Amino acid sequence: MKLKLLVILVLVVGIFGGGGYAAYTLLIKPARPQVKEKSAVAPPAPTPPPDPAAPELSKVAALRKDKKVEEARALLDSIVTNYPTSPRIDEARNQLGEINADLALSTTPTPDKVDYIVKGGDSLDKIARLLKTSPELIMRSNNLANTVIQPGQRLLIFQPDFSLEIHVADKRVVLLQKNRFFKQYPARTLSAPGGARTTELKTKIAEKAAYRDGKRVSFGTKEYAGATRWITLAQ
């Protein structure tokens, strides 16, 4: 009898204990607040530093609009020299190259040109050899229609002192005049010994040629003015 009562008592405690625990869990125990997981948000991109060349290029645009070419050229030269890492450096280089070429091939006096008065017996070839330039440059910078010149005629002679830099990583060729930037050209394919990123090429011009409509044309002919020029460098 005592054993039966003990079993019944254990069952009652078990039943009510389980029920009590269930009631506590459902009705009394405070519910934990559900915390919504926050999705990972990428930090905002850092603001790029201001481009110091930007206001200078705005000044260049104003100078060119006012036809102040020499002032624009000097400012562009300063930008190219002082801000080589500017995001707009290629824009500055291209503008400077355009102005440099226009001035070199015009009748505008520049520090790289000398005055020359034609003497009896002179020819463009003779003057070019004397002043270390080319007959083509003399013609183009003086707006000559042909190779005929007269004694007493005044010529402005551009004296080139060119060298080349090959920038392999950027695939561009830079033309320097007296070791200063003059103009740059894009290159389709470049290679340099040792994988160099920038290589200074020192060589001589082996040949100059001009082609128009698939045919080679000679200097001084009427077809030469609109021809494509090629320079072959010595190995």
Side-chain angles (χ1 to χ4, degrees), residues 9-193:
L9 181 61
V10 170
L11 290 174
V12 170
V13 172
I15 293 171
F16 281 94
Y21 177 78
Y24 169 77
T25 303
L26 295 175
L27 303 176
I28 302 174
K29 182 180 179 181
R32 290 185 181 181
Q34 293 184 353
V35 180
K36 187 178 181 180
E37 294 184 0
K38 295 182 179 180
S39 58
V41 178
T47 303
D51 181 9
E56 303 295 289
L57 284 169
S58 297
K59 294 178 184 177
V60 168
L63 289 170
R64 298 190 73 177
K65 184 178 180 180
D66 293 338
K67 309 297 183 183
K68 297 179 179 179
V69 180
E70 285 287 358
E71 291 92 333
R73 179 192 194 186
L75 186 52
L76 284 167
D77 185 74
S78 174
I79 294 171
V80 169
T81 301
N82 297 320
Y83 307 120
T85 59
S86 166
R88 299 175 65 184
I89 189 62
D90 271 338
E91 178 184 344
R93 288 172 179 153
N94 290 335
Q95 287 196 56
L96 180 56
E98 179 184 330
I99 292 177
N100 282 337
D102 287 346
L103 289 175
L105 301 177
S106 73
T107 56
T108 304
T110 69
D112 294 324
K113 295 179 183 179
V114 297
D115 282 319
Y116 184 83
I117 305 300
V118 177
K119 303 176 181 62
D122 275 345
S123 66
L124 290 183
D125 285 333
K126 181 179 178 180
I127 297 172
R129 289 194 301 270
L130 177 66
L131 298 178
K132 297 181 180 180
T133 184
S134 71
E136 178 192 358
L137 280 176
I138 296 175
M139 286 187 66
R140 296 188 67 184
S141 60
N142 290 276
N143 291 332
L144 300 180
N146 51 56
T147 59
V148 178
I149 52 177
Q150 302 293 333
Q153 186 175 353
R154 179 175 176 264
L155 299 174
L156 275 174
I157 311 296
F158 176 71
Q159 293 184 298
D161 185 6
F162 289 145
S163 57
L164 291 176
E165 280 184 355
I166 299 177
H167 295 252
V168 178
D170 300 335
K171 289 189 177 182
R172 62 190 179 97
V173 177
V174 176
L175 183 64
L176 305 176
Q177 165 70 354
K178 296 181 178 178
N179 293 321
R180 294 191 69 85
F181 180 92
F182 185 83
K183 192 173 177 60
Q184 70 177 10
Y185 302 89
R188 294 181 180 177
T189 303
L190 284 176
S191 61

